[in-house]
Amino acid sequence: MKTEIGIQTPLITLVGPPNSGKTTLFNLLSGKNYKTVNYPGSTVEYYTSKILPKYKIDAEVLDSPGIVSLIPESLDEKVAVDSLYSHPKLGRPDLVIVTVDSCQLSRHLLLPKQLISSGFNVIIVLTMADILKKRGLKVSERKLSEALNCDVVLVNGRSKEGIEKLIGLINNNLIHNDKASRKILPYNGLNDNTRLLDSFSEIEKIVHGVYEPLTSDRNIDLKSANKELQVLQPDTTSTNFPIDEVTLKIDKILLHRFWGFVIFLIVMGVTFTSIFWLAQPLMNLVDELFSNLNSLVVENFEKGWFTYLVSDGIISGTGSVLVFVPQILILFLILGLLEDSGYLARGAMLIDKPLSKVGLNGRSFVPMLSGYACAIPAIIAARTIPNRKERLFTIFIIPLMSCSARLPVYALLIAYIIPQDKLWLGGIILGGIYLLSMIISMMVAWSVNKFSKKIFKEQESSSFILELPSYRIPKLSSVINHTYNSSKQYILKAGPMILGFSLILWFLTFFPNINPAVETAGLPSDQAENLIRAERLENSFASDLGKIIQPVMTPIGMDWRIGVSLISAFAAREVFVSSLALTFKVTSDIEQEQNTLLNSLRSARIESTGQQLFTTATSIGLIVFFIFALQCLSTVAVSKKETGGWKIPLLQVTIFTSLAYVMTLITVNGLRFLGIQ
């Protein structure tokens, strides 16, 4: 169904292969004042905007996902191609602008050729001419226009050279376009191998005819020019395209069998460290801001359920959404710089072979690595994987990466099990946990891959074909713009769901005993408040749930109090520690909390048997549980948003929680069998 915009204003659709400069052109035309929308029934996104008023063209411009031909090879490409013929909201385009990399004409001309054959009104925009210029060549717009029978214009995305000419061509095409009489036919040419070869053969002939050597406008020495002409003439008629010597030299190092991997690991290490450490001060700032706001509400309003709804439910819930924004900003900024420079494609190529053994591909590596900082930006980063099956597969296993939120849990439990005179053991155990999580994720990925057709319902092959672009200096404004929009999408789309889940969890941990009778005389206000919160939690719906699952907790050597803490930890894994402190009524200040909590844990007994609750076996069992379990509602919310449904997140919760329980059961009872209590 068309919108009013679709009826009243012409529609211009931008298409082009990935990395052909399509989004840069969209930004130039729209002035970056655009909105993001999903195609109905899919997670495939597109951008729409009005053309800038200064160009005096009343038209809607749509930036569609990258495609290389009209014969789709993935579900996402099918959605994009189908929408080109008949957009579900905006209808059929009045004009199609195709971006073509000047250095990749042999491959990139296939798409505009198919569009013209199908009957679309097409303008070809040549990009990356500056890189071609370094090779001493240019593309003749006139010859290419005559060969394909459509308008061709060269546009420089950095200097905006050619944009005015493009605007003139758009205006002319829209004025003289008779949309009603234009018949658009589906393109089926590539289904026939002979026609496919003929099509590429025609493109090769066109390519050889449109490349021209660069000439100088300065006074020409005819003798020198003739000599130069003798040298250049064979190149323009040769079937060999000039090689980008700079790219070739850099690739000899960055794609080296040994040094390439070393450099790749360093780059990824810097990326991971940046997400982990650079974002931390900003995350602390956001956390502190919302904590202060929370305290401000609690201290200045009458203590009742509404006050706590605002402070613990809404304010803390909003904080749990915004606290991830610094990590998302930094991640997408770095990814944008790496992708724009051309390095991300090299990194994906390097790591593809080992990841292909478990059904993933090279593009999965960066999201997986980011998962060690936080699963939220990591899942969003999986958007860079064009193949839908591999994108879903990557999202599926990301929660197995040991994110930073697990660190407080690991730190507490490691501190509990290691002797006080052998603190150096803590670092080794922590390193072992991270190594174990990596091995486990690969094993789970390999296992899930065996059943991937049943889980993902995708028949796409896992082949990894990647076009390596030339190296270039990233366009900072484009990268920042992309980073801003990705972060905004997280806040607008995943934020409400995370906030909703947080409110449900607050309800479970706050009601029904909202005003517990507790003796707080003589205690400082913060300790009194903690004691009231502990009593409220002990008599909450979450506590009832914990007591219901007591039979499940008994076989792994735990009781309902740990069950309550595990339920509370669904808000965020690190909440497990503070929830334990509340459950065991630790009311000390923050500096003393861990030591006091450790003492409380050491003296805790199982109520029904009187046996020690926290032992070495149960503590290691809890570590194993947190390695596997998906204890994070925000991850579930983002997974639902990015996969477009509940199937994948529900499978993640079910499979990983079941796996966590079984592995904990084996660990606890196995250690006890070996005499380790």
Side-chain angles (χ1 to χ4, degrees), residues 413-488:
L413 295 171
I414 289 172
Y416 184 84
I417 58 178
I418 62 171
Q420 293 302 302
D421 58 339
K422 295 180 180 176
L423 294 177
W424 52 271
L425 265 176
I428 295 175
I429 294 174
L430 190 60
I433 290 171
Y434 274 82
L435 184 63
L436 183 63
S437 74
M438 188 180 294
I439 294 170
I440 286 168
S441 63
M442 290 298 101
M443 290 172 66
V444 171
W446 180 83
S447 305
V448 171
N449 187 42
K450 296 294 178 188
F451 305 97
S452 60
K453 286 184 180 176
K454 292 181 180 177
I455 294 175
F456 303 119
K457 300 290 184 189
E458 304 290 339
Q459 300 301 321
E460 303 166 19
S461 69
S462 295
S463 58
F464 180 62
I465 301 171
L466 192 63
E467 186 176 285
L468 295 180
S470 299
Y471 290 106
R472 57 179 182 263
I473 298 171
K475 193 165 185 285
L476 196 58
S477 61
S478 175
V479 172
I480 291 174
N481 193 48
H482 177 67
T483 303
Y484 166 74
N485 278 291
S486 297
S487 305
K488 190 170 82 174

Side-chain angles (χ1 to χ4, degrees), residues 124-183:
I124 295 177
V125 171
L126 296 169
T127 60
M128 317 290 177
D130 50 338
I131 297 174
L132 188 66
K133 187 178 178 183
K134 292 177 183 173
R135 304 182 193 184
L137 289 176
K138 68 176 184 178
V139 178
S140 169
E141 299 167 54
R142 179 184 60 79
K143 289 181 181 176
L144 186 58
S145 175
E146 290 173 356
L148 292 176
N149 195 27
C150 71
D151 288 323
V152 177
V153 58
L154 192 151
V155 174
N156 188 321
R158 296 171 188 271
S159 65
K160 300 184 182 178
E161 182 186 349
I163 196 73
E164 292 294 341
K165 185 179 177 183
L166 172 63
I167 293 298
L169 291 175
I170 292 173
N171 206 26
N172 190 50
N173 272 273
L174 292 179
I175 290 172
H176 296 101
N177 179 42
D178 185 3
K179 186 177 177 181
S181 64
R182 188 178 286 275
K183 193 172 183 182

Side-chain angles (χ1 to χ4, degrees), residues 265-287:
L265 290 175
I266 292 172
V267 171
M268 289 302 110
V270 170
T271 303
F272 171 69
T273 306
S274 301
I275 298 167
F276 195 81
W277 294 109
L278 282 184
Q280 199 58 51
L282 293 171
M283 293 177 76
N284 290 342
L285 195 65
V286 174
D287 195 40

Side-chain angles (χ1 to χ4, degrees), residues 95 121 128 168 222 224 239 366 389 423 490 563 567 588 597:
L95 176 63
N121 186 21
M128 317 290 177
L222 287 178
S224 300
T239 54
V366 172
K389 175 185 172 184
L423 294 177
Y490 160 73
I567 292 170
S588 308
L597 180 57

Side-chain angles (χ1 to χ4, degrees), residues 41-43 388 392 638-649:
S42 77
T43 58
R388 179 174 166 79
L392 294 178
V638 173
S639 178
K640 189 266 174 185
K641 189 262 165 185
E642 293 297 310
T643 59
W646 281 106
K647 181 182 175 183
I648 299 292

